[in-house]
Amino acid sequence: MTGRTVPRYLALTATLSIVVGGLLLTVFYGQYRLQSAQLVDTSVAQFDAAQAASFERRARSRLHRIADAIALHRSITGDADVTDVMQSAMTGDNDLLGLLYVNETGAQIAVGAPVPTVDAAPSAERAENLFLQYDVLNADRPLGSLHASFSRLSVSAETRAFQELLLAQDSARRAESFARIFAVTVFGGLLCGTVIWLVVRSQSNRIRALKTQVQKLSQANFGEPLAVQHSDELGQLAQVFNEMREKLQKTTVSRDYMDKILSGMNEAIIVTDDSGTITRVNDATSRMLGFEEDELVGQPLESVVDSSKNGGLQTSTDVGIPDEAMLISKFGESIPVSYTGSIIDAQDGSPGTTVFTAQNISERRRAEKRIRYLARIDALTKVPNRMQFQHLLQRAIARAKRSKRSLALFYIDVDHFKEINDTFGHLAGDTALETVANRLADTLPKECVIGRLAGDEFAVIVDRLVPNDETLRRLDKLARKTLNKLSEPLYVQGHEVFMTASMGIACYPGDAANVIDLIRNADAALYHAKKAGGNVSAYYRPDMNRTAVERLMTKSKLKRAFERDELLVRYQPRYNIETGTVVGAEALVRWELPQRGIILPADFIPLAEETNLIVEIGEWVLDRVCEDFRYWQRSVSSPGRVSVNLSLKQLRQANFINRISGILRSYELSPTSLELEITETTLMENPVRTIKILDELYSLGLHLAIDDFGTGYSSLSALQQFPINTLKIDKSFVRDVAVNTDDATIVGTIIQMGKSLNMEVVAEGVESEEQLGFLQNLGCAFVQGLLFGDPMSADDYLELVLAQAEGTDKYRALFA
């Protein structure tokens, strides 16, 4: 190629470059203008929509605060301050044009520009202004509506400013872009000519240079095998490259491959030389410490190790057993790590390098700290749990022993806590427990230790006490103050709940010398406080433990007695007061212990309720009554109606109705033969659910009675909702009915009320002829009690009914 040919090719290349560049520039200019206009229009529309939405959110938030302020002032002063609130709201808000408040009676209060309702605003005004409406509520009670008018001028101004900014930026970018394109076009033409010149003049030299570079890079990249087609310089280059590739595959590992492995590891890798200088780190190290690789390379390892806490990093001879240390980040933060260190010996005998692999264990440390916290602190109330409290109590006892002082342990239990859980749910129960813990913390001295030992049981350590009479008075005052605080009303789910607590108190060293005995004795005192009615405190006495042990043994014996079928069913006959005939009986459960004799239900039924044995006992009594009734029917056609007591826990059973129906079917008895007795307290525990259950029982044909009437809290209006057939007057009113005018008035009122409601009235606990005569004068229909003998066995009751039929019943003469 001659010297004349080269300029000709260069001129042709330059001409073609100019023509092609001009065409491309023209096409680009048209597309750019079109896309730029569309982009500006789209951006302006999106900006305007975003500004309008943001403006409306701010306006709604402002209107919400004004409505809340109006609701607050109306609840305190009525409409008097509403105008002041609205005028104050408009002060300093240039966008707020006017407010209109319409209360629940329709009266209007307006401030500022007239404000139409949202639906009545003209479309022209809607374009310039924003009209909003918000309901004013107080505890979900509507107090009216608030209307507001906001100016959109600020939104329009911001949109116009944004559009002008975009157009200005677009014009500047367009000028800059075309200047660059022109420069690139000119440069491209020159570059093309230069490339042709270089290709023509330097082809052989460039090929030899490439061959040399490939040989130099033989240790850096495998590349791909090249096909050897000719024996020219390019063929020689391909041959050399193939030989280099085969050699690298056999003798070394690519640096890029190692970099990928190190970069992909989650653990931090730090490589140091024999002097402890960092020579290499991976990406995980940079992420952990915040340093870039070039900031760490060349620095001593000690610069990133917090040696003041765990010492420096050490190489381990035990493979796989990590150590722990603290590293320092770029920002001075101490980072706990688990690491291993290994020494890699050099093959030529020179000093080797050390590789440290570290893993951030900050999350693990936090998790361990959380676990230790949860192991010591109750998660709900945030006070020490039982294990931690016992530990703190042990330390307090040790301090008291060294200082020769005393301490007191308050054992606190919430009265009837289960009723809160059953009535309002476990979430309300949790709220009550949190309230107890907070009130204890607010009432007790700061140095007292509060702990939660079990469900609703709390304990308090009051230490550093001097054993004297003044200390005892202080404890009495503190105990009463604590119980008074706990008895304050508690608001649960919008309801006011009255909660009380009982307290048992035991002191060291007088009552016990160790943790276990002190807690046990305080618990025994707590039991006596609860037995006294609750909301009181009791100090431990030695005889309390004997009572607690006896009570526990009685529980065990009761369960064994039930399992061995040692309980007895006895029947107390019920008489018609006018005719003196037996009309039925009440089934009573009795328990006879060889060492103690007959144990009355009042002594063992509460124990059965605590252990849930009452459900099984109740079902067993019902089954036994049905069996005896079928036995009586073989001798007499109508043994009378037998009443059976039901407990609250029986009514709570999900399949209670099915169980009763199944027992009646199994003995082929008519439901009218039985009467179920329920106390007033059971009736009112959950009236809605109880009414539903009683309606189902009544629909089966069973008679229903209220037992111990007059001792509960039912009202006449509530009584009318229940399908009750019988009222049983409690024996506490009958006992003194003949001598106490108040009791006589109560009994007479109940009798008259029962008659007005078409209910049968039974007087319980009749023990004297004077009581019987008085009840006859009051018009009572039925009586039962010890006046007619002790509760009797099924055989004795059958003999009584047979004697009635023969006219030989000795008790009939009492009714003459």
Side-chain angles (χ1 to χ4, degrees):
M1 187 176 291
T2 63
R4 296 178 179 179
T5 305
V6 172
R8 189 184 307 138
Y9 281 108
L10 291 176
L12 179 61
T13 301
T15 302
L16 290 174
S17 298
I18 292 172
V19 171
V20 173
L23 292 174
L24 292 176
L25 185 61
T26 301
V27 174
F28 174 78
Y29 178 79
Q31 292 181 344
Y32 180 86
R33 288 298 301 271
L34 179 60
Q35 293 177 357
S36 175
Q38 292 176 348
L39 181 60
V40 170
D41 293 340
T42 302
S43 300
V44 171
Q46 292 177 350
F47 180 83
D48 183 68
Q51 290 296 106
S54 177
F55 179 81
E56 184 172 347
R57 286 195 300 271
R58 295 195 302 272
R60 288 188 183 277
S61 176
R62 178 63 173 163
L63 193 59
H64 172 73
R65 291 194 296 272
I66 297 171
D68 287 348
I70 291 175
L72 177 62
H73 281 77
R74 280 213 58 196
S75 65
I76 299 174
T77 63
D79 288 335
D81 294 334
V82 172
T83 301
D84 295 338
V85 172
M86 296 169 63
Q87 289 177 344
S88 175
M90 292 191 61
T91 302
D93 192 340
N94 297 329
D95 294 331
L96 182 58
L97 301 178
L99 291 171
L100 174 62
Y101 170 60
V102 183
N103 65 16
E104 65 271 52
T105 63
Q108 298 183 357
I109 300 174
V111 176
V115 182
T117 60
V118 176
D119 296 333
S123 58
E125 291 185 12
R126 288 174 178 270
E128 297 178 0
N129 301 322
L130 174 64
F131 299 96
L132 296 177
Q133 175 183 344
Y134 194 88
D135 292 333
V136 181
L137 303 174
N138 183 17
D140 297 334
R141 183 173 69 86
L143 299 179
S145 61
L146 181 63
H147 305 262
S149 173
F150 294 85
S151 173
R152 297 180 183 268
L153 294 179
S154 61
V155 177
S156 301
E158 291 177 0
T159 302
R160 286 195 300 272
F162 179 74
Q163 184 177 17
E164 292 172 0
L165 176 63
L166 286 182
L167 291 175
Q169 292 179 346
D170 178 67
S171 178
R173 284 196 298 269
R174 186 166 59 249
E176 181 182 359
S177 298
F178 281 108
R180 290 180 179 178
I181 292 171
F182 178 79
V184 170
T185 303
V186 174
F187 178 78
L190 296 175
L191 183 62
C192 288
T194 304
V195 169
I196 294 174
W197 175 267
L198 293 175
V199 169
V200 173
R201 292 290 304 268
S202 305
Q203 183 177 12
S204 297
N205 292 336
R206 187 162 53 84
I207 292 175
R208 284 193 294 270
L210 288 174
K211 177 181 176 181
T212 302
Q213 291 300 322
V214 169
Q215 290 175 337
K216 290 181 179 180
L217 294 175
S218 61
Q219 301 296 324
N221 191 356
F222 288 123
E224 296 294 334
L226 298 177
V228 180
Q229 297 177 350
H230 304 285
S231 59
D232 57 4
E233 291 178 338
L234 290 176
Q236 295 176 8
L237 175 61
Q239 183 66 36
V240 171
F241 183 82
N242 290 339
E243 292 175 356
M244 176 191 67
R245 182 175 177 276
E246 293 176 359
K247 180 179 179 181
L248 288 175
Q249 282 182 323
K250 294 178 180 179
T251 60
T252 187
V253 178
S254 170
R255 179 186 178 91
D256 292 339
Y257 179 68
M258 290 297 299
D259 288 341
K260 290 179 180 179
I261 292 177
L262 294 177
S263 298
M265 295 181 66
N266 292 325
E267 292 79 9
I269 304 295
I270 302 177
V271 182
T272 63
D273 57 17
D274 60 320
S275 63
T277 302
I278 299 174
T279 59
R280 190 173 183 183
V281 297
N282 65 345
D283 293 343
T285 305
S286 298
R287 290 193 299 270
M288 179 190 295
L289 302 180
F291 293 100
E292 296 297 332
E293 182 177 1
D294 56 357
E295 293 179 296
L296 290 175
V297 174
Q299 299 296 323
L301 180 61
E302 289 77 7
S303 63
V304 294
V305 178
D306 190 352
S307 58
S308 62
K309 295 184 177 179
N310 293 82
L313 300 185
Q314 303 293 329
T315 57
S316 176
T317 57
D318 298 325
V319 178
I321 301 178
D323 292 326
E324 293 187 2
M326 300 292 290
L327 300 184
I328 303 175
S329 71
K330 183 178 181 179
F331 311 103
E333 177 187 4
S334 294
I335 302 175
V337 296
S338 174
Y339 77 94
T340 58
S342 303
I343 298 177
I344 301 177
D345 296 328
Q347 296 181 353
D348 56 0
S350 60
T353 59
T354 304
V355 179
F356 294 99
T357 304
Q359 185 176 21
N360 191 336
I361 59 173
S362 299
E363 287 297 328
R364 191 186 80 186
R365 288 276 183 91
R366 281 191 287 268
E368 291 173 350
K369 185 178 180 180
R370 177 65 177 168
I371 291 172
R372 287 193 296 269
Y373 174 82
L374 293 176
R376 297 181 293 106
I377 303 299
D378 178 61
L380 176 64
T381 59
K382 305 301 184 293
V383 299
N385 57 19
R386 187 181 191 91
M387 181 181 67
Q388 178 66 7
F389 182 83
Q390 289 180 346
H391 173 67
L392 296 175
L393 180 58
Q394 179 64 53
R395 294 172 58 182
I397 291 176
R399 286 196 305 270
K401 185 176 181 179
R402 289 194 302 269
S403 61
K404 295 183 180 181
R405 294 198 172 193
S406 64
L407 63 83
L409 177 65
F410 289 177
Y411 205 123
I412 303 169
D413 181 85
V414 179
D415 297 329
H416 310 296
F417 175 73
K418 193 174 186 303
E419 294 181 3
I420 299 178
N421 260 342
D422 294 341
T423 304
F424 300 103
H426 290 284
L427 184 60
D430 291 346
T431 301
L433 293 177
E434 290 178 297
T435 302
V436 170
N438 293 334
R439 289 180 178 179
L440 289 175
D442 294 340
T443 307
L444 295 166
K446 299 299 182 183
E447 62 270 14
C448 292
V449 178
I450 304 169
R452 182 185 177 193
L453 303 189
D456 61 333
E457 297 178 359
F458 293 81
V460 178
I461 303 172
V462 184
D463 59 355
R464 299 180 176 88
L465 301 177
V466 178
N468 54 35
D469 294 339
E470 178 61 26
T471 297
L472 188 60
R473 286 191 292 271
R474 284 175 52 203
L475 286 178
D476 288 339
K477 184 177 179 181
L478 183 61
R480 188 67 262 166
K481 178 183 177 183
T482 303
L483 293 180
N484 289 340
K485 182 68 175 179
L486 294 178
S487 64
E488 292 179 359
L490 169 69
Y491 291 91
V492 176
Q493 300 175 4
H495 301 280
E496 187 178 43
V497 177
F498 290 92
M499 177 182 65
T500 61
S502 301
M503 179 187 297
I505 305 174
C507 297
Y508 168 87
D511 297 329
N514 57 69
V515 171
I516 302 301
D517 291 343
L518 194 62
I519 293 178
R520 182 192 63 196
N521 294 344
D523 189 19
L526 171 65
Y527 170 74
H528 279 263
K530 294 185 76 67
K531 193 174 182 181
N535 198 25
V536 296
S537 60
Y539 285 89
Y540 168 75
R541 300 189 312 273
D543 62 311
M544 291 180 177
N545 273 339
R546 291 193 295 272
T547 304
V549 171
E550 182 179 353
R551 186 167 176 270
L552 182 61
M553 295 301 296
T554 303
K555 277 187 183 181
S556 301
K557 291 177 181 178
L558 176 60
K559 185 170 180 62
R560 287 198 301 270
F562 176 74
E563 292 172 350
R564 296 172 183 174
D565 199 20
E566 294 177 355
L567 298 181
L568 306 173
V569 174
R570 293 291 182 260
Y571 297 93
Q572 188 171 61
R574 180 187 305 171
Y575 283 85
N576 185 312
I577 205 168
E578 293 183 359
T579 63
T581 58
V582 177
V583 294
E586 179 181 358
L588 304 173
V589 62
R590 293 291 186 264
W591 178 25
E592 185 174 3
L593 274 176
Q595 299 85 358
R596 296 177 54 181
I598 294 293
I599 301 179
L600 297 178
D603 295 325
F604 70 84
I605 289 299
L607 299 179
E609 297 227 358
E610 290 180 10
T611 59
N612 285 327
L613 189 61
I614 189 64
V615 175
E616 300 177 57
I617 292 178
E619 190 169 328
W620 172 82
V621 170
L622 187 61
D623 185 83
R624 182 59 58 88
V625 168
C626 290
E627 182 180 353
D628 291 340
F629 199 95
R630 189 172 63 174
Y631 165 69
W632 296 334
Q633 283 184 322
R634 296 171 185 167
S635 302
V636 292
S637 59
S638 179
R641 192 165 60 239
V642 180
S643 59
V644 180
N645 290 280
L646 288 183
S647 71
L648 177 60
K649 291 191 176 181
Q650 286 177 276
L651 284 178
R652 287 176 180 165
Q653 288 182 289
N655 58 347
F656 175 68
I657 303 296
N658 294 333
R659 285 176 174 270
I660 290 184
S661 300
I663 292 175
L664 292 173
R665 284 195 303 270
S666 64
Y667 288 100
E668 299 179 349
L669 289 183
S670 170
T672 57
S673 304
L674 295 180
E675 182 176 70
L676 302 181
E677 295 186 6
I678 308 164
T679 64
E680 278 187 276
T681 304
T682 301
L683 279 176
M684 302 309 297
E685 191 268 341
N686 187 348
V688 176
R689 182 175 182 273
T690 304
I691 289 175
K692 181 180 178 182
I693 295 175
L694 295 185
D695 284 339
E696 293 183 34
L697 293 173
Y698 188 78
S699 64
L700 292 177
L702 291 162
H703 283 254
L704 302 173
I706 297 183
D707 194 17
D708 301 334
F709 186 77
T711 61
Y713 305 97
S714 62
S715 63
L716 182 59
S717 60
L719 199 61
Q720 291 176 313
Q721 302 177 30
F722 297 102
I724 300 299
N725 308 101
T726 305
L727 293 181
K728 302 191 71 175
I729 305 174
D730 187 68
K731 60 184 179 181
S732 62
F733 299 115
V734 177
R735 182 184 303 113
D736 299 322
V737 69
V739 295
N740 188 306
T741 57
D742 291 337
D743 287 346
T745 301
I746 293 173
V747 172
T749 302
I750 295 175
I751 292 173
Q752 294 303 317
M753 182 181 67
K755 289 181 178 180
S756 65
L757 294 175
N758 295 320
M759 296 181 182
E760 298 178 354
V761 180
V762 180
E764 298 181 295
V766 178
E767 300 179 358
S768 67
E769 295 184 26
E770 290 80 4
Q771 295 170 348
L772 179 63
F774 201 89
L775 292 169
Q776 285 176 321
N777 293 333
L778 291 176
C780 185
F782 305 96
V783 291
Q784 67 182 59
L786 296 180
L787 178 62
F788 314 108
D790 293 330
M792 56 192 67
S793 66
D795 292 337
D796 293 339
Y797 179 76
L798 179 59
E799 290 180 5
L800 176 63
V801 174
L802 292 174
Q804 279 272 322
E806 296 171 357
T808 58
D809 177 18
K810 63 180 180 179
Y811 296 110
R812 178 172 290 187
L814 295 172
F815 299 92

